[in-house]
Amino acid sequence: MESATSTHSGDSAAGMAAVPAPRLARAILLVVLGSFLVMTMLNLGKEHIERGPFILAVLGLTAIFALQLRHSAPGASQAPRRQRILTLSLQAALTYLPLIVYHWAWGAMAGFLAGSLLLLLSGRIAWPLFALVGVTMLIYPLTHHIGLGDTFYMCESSLLTGLMVFGLSRLAELVALVHATRGELARMAVANERLRFARDLHDLLGYSLSAVTLKSELIRRTLRSHPDRAEEEVTAVLDISRQALADVRLVASGYRDMNLEQECASARSVLRAAEVEADVTVSVGEVDPRVETVLATVLREGVTNVLRHSTVRHCTVEAVEQDGMVRLAIVNDGVRPGYKDPAPNSGSGLGNLALRVGAVGGSLTAGVREGGRFHLVAEAPVKPTGQLGVMDEATEHHTTAATAAAA
């Protein structure tokens, strides 16, 4: 188990290292945007522009860079509509007006505008406007008698730049989202493991501790009058204590294969030690170990609940297999007059059992029926059809139904 766990942990660590961190993704985006601005400055330098217009160009590029950072930020598309239209309009003005002075050297900025349109607007509006930006980069060169090669280059480079800005911005946002989701999944995994540990301790040790208490009381009553009987019960207490210790180790390791027939025999012994008349019937063939473990856990919790009722005098335990289904029923008397089912959140015992039974494709019901007897019934297929450890819709339904009728 340790080697398998180590291998899995190593694979997970390698996978985590392969995923770019949000800062790295954001840095790549900044480098690409900055590179386009530097290229534009170099193009302006080749035109031998005077100092004043060049300084204005640098200021305009700085403003476009700031706007693009705002548009490429995570969640920018969720900003108020009025604010998005305002910043896009400002970027459009900074894209097209300088063309009058700087001509083709300013054409790369149209790509930033095209990318921003895809980032901030819905697809139905964004893509037509994106195409319109490309068309404008065809119209401007043609009206200024620029060659067809340069005309096509301005259009194609503007659209390609827009796709790059859009793709890298979305990628940086997705990396941040994946990073946050991974952290949340890790926290959920820890919480689920804590829940599993607490649930297993409740389901496995509650029965053992109740049995130890009852048998210890029986030993105290029979120590002088029936020393032989008391010695037998001491041996039984030792066996139960050893089993409780084994259960703790099993909970810690995550493996808990339990035998239903052995648990039925143990339940008979414990109930009789508590002076409860117990009728136990077991008629089960080959059952998947996971299903058998779940049903044995249900039996333990059911018997633990029976022992909590001091007025119980008779209890019936029946485990039978029929038509590919295993049915475990625990019926006891001693229900208090005027008994009412508690609120769903009054305890976690039966709710935990409903989760377990539902996870193997079964169902669990509990409640007082005719005759004033309490019935706890669990049914599960011989082979599990659910997914252990996953609370799907069916499991959630079983949990709600069971806890609503829990005792």
Side-chain angles (χ1 to χ4, degrees), residues 36 46 57 106 153 160 252 266 299 313 322 340 373:
F36 277 111
K46 292 179 180 180
W106 196 264
Y153 174 80
L160 181 60
S266 177
L299 177 60
R313 291 291 177 264
Q322 185 176 6
K340 294 183 179 180
R373 293 176 178 269

Side-chain angles (χ1 to χ4, degrees), residues 298-316:
V298 172
L299 177 60
R300 281 196 174 191
E301 176 64 19
V303 172
T304 301
N305 287 339
V306 169
L307 296 176
R308 289 171 181 164
H309 298 280
S310 59
T311 58
V312 173
R313 291 291 177 264
H314 184 270
C315 180
T316 300

Side-chain angles (χ1 to χ4, degrees), residues 98-171:
L99 284 174
I100 301 173
V101 179
Y102 306 109
H103 306 294
W104 70 271
W106 196 264
M109 295 299 98
F112 281 31
L113 176 62
S116 295
L117 291 171
L118 295 179
L119 289 170
L120 298 187
L121 302 179
S122 62
R124 184 178 301 179
I125 302 175
W127 288 105
L129 292 178
F130 173 81
L132 181 60
V133 171
V135 172
T136 60
M137 289 296 102
L138 284 174
I139 296 175
Y140 175 81
L142 291 176
T143 56
H144 287 72
H145 307 289
I146 298 177
L148 290 178
D150 292 336
T151 299
F152 177 78
Y153 174 80
M154 289 188 66
C155 175
E156 187 270 343
S157 63
S158 297
L159 296 179
L160 181 60
T161 302
L163 290 176
M164 291 181 61
V165 170
F166 171 70
L168 289 175
S169 300
R170 279 286 181 262
L171 181 61

Side-chain angles (χ1 to χ4, degrees), residues 164-184:
M164 291 181 61
V165 170
F166 171 70
L168 289 175
S169 300
R170 279 286 181 262
L171 181 61
E173 184 176 1
L174 288 176
V175 169
L177 179 61
V178 169
H179 188 79
T181 302
R182 186 179 62 190
E184 184 63 27

Side-chain angles (χ1 to χ4, degrees), residues 39-49 54 104-105:
M39 291 170 58
T40 302
M41 289 184 184
L42 292 176
N43 290 332
L44 291 172
K46 292 179 180 180
E47 295 297 311
H48 303 289
I49 301 174
F54 186 81
W104 70 271

Side-chain angles (χ1 to χ4, degrees), residues 107-401:
M109 295 299 98
F112 281 31
L113 176 62
S116 295
L117 291 171
L118 295 179
L119 289 170
L120 298 187
L121 302 179
S122 62
R124 184 178 301 179
I125 302 175
W127 288 105
L129 292 178
F130 173 81
L132 181 60
V133 171
V135 172
T136 60
M137 289 296 102
L138 284 174
I139 296 175
Y140 175 81
L142 291 176
T143 56
H144 287 72
H145 307 289
I146 298 177
L148 290 178
D150 292 336
T151 299
F152 177 78
Y153 174 80
M154 289 188 66
C155 175
E156 187 270 343
S157 63
S158 297
L159 296 179
L160 181 60
T161 302
L163 290 176
M164 291 181 61
V165 170
F166 171 70
L168 289 175
S169 300
R170 279 286 181 262
L171 181 61
E173 184 176 1
L174 288 176
V175 169
L177 179 61
V178 169
H179 188 79
T181 302
R182 186 179 62 190
E184 184 63 27
L185 288 175
R187 287 189 290 270
M188 289 178 61
V190 172
N192 288 337
E193 182 61 16
R194 290 175 178 172
L195 180 61
R196 180 196 71 82
F197 194 82
R199 183 177 62 231
D200 290 350
L201 285 178
H202 178 278
D203 293 343
L204 295 178
L205 296 186
Y207 167 84
S208 299
L209 295 177
S210 298
V212 168
T213 301
L214 288 169
K215 287 186 174 292
S216 298
E217 293 177 351
L218 179 61
I219 292 171
R220 185 179 63 179
R221 293 198 303 267
T222 60
L223 184 60
R224 294 182 179 179
S225 59
H226 301 86
D228 295 336
R229 173 71 184 280
E231 185 176 354
E232 293 178 0
E233 296 300 332
V234 168
T235 302
V237 168
L238 290 175
D239 291 338
I240 294 174
S241 300
R242 293 190 185 100
Q243 182 61 47
L245 179 60
D247 288 341
V248 171
R249 291 170 178 170
L250 290 172
V251 168
S253 64
Y255 293 98
R256 308 176 315 282
D257 285 344
M258 300 166 60
N259 184 278
L260 183 58
E261 187 172 352
Q262 292 178 0
E263 291 301 324
C264 286
S266 177
R268 181 191 293 111
S269 174
V270 172
L271 289 171
R272 289 179 177 176
E275 300 180 351
V276 176
E277 183 182 352
D279 294 332
V280 181
T281 303
V282 184
S283 179
V284 177
E286 292 293 330
V287 181
D288 188 281
R290 291 171 293 178
V291 175
E292 189 170 14
T293 297
V294 168
L295 293 177
T297 304
V298 172
L299 177 60
R300 281 196 174 191
E301 176 64 19
V303 172
T304 301
N305 287 339
V306 169
L307 296 176
R308 289 171 181 164
H309 298 280
S310 59
T311 58
V312 173
R313 291 291 177 264
H314 184 270
C315 180
T316 300
V317 178
E318 184 182 45
V320 297
E321 177 189 349
Q322 185 176 6
D323 298 331
M325 296 291 292
V326 181
R327 183 177 184 272
L328 173 66
I330 304 174
V331 182
N332 65 273
D333 60 6
V335 180
R336 299 185 302 274
Y339 171 85
K340 294 183 179 180
D341 292 338
N345 60 353
S346 61
S348 60
L350 295 180
N352 290 341
L353 296 182
L355 282 171
R356 295 176 185 274
V357 177
V360 295
S363 62
L364 184 142
T365 58
V368 179
R369 300 184 182 176
E370 295 181 2
R373 293 176 178 269
F374 188 84
H375 290 243
L376 174 64
V377 180
E379 293 181 321
V382 173
K383 294 185 178 180
T385 59
Q387 293 182 338
L388 286 170
V390 178
M391 184 176 176
D392 52 15
E393 293 181 0
T395 306
E396 185 175 1
H397 171 73
H398 292 312
T399 304
T400 304

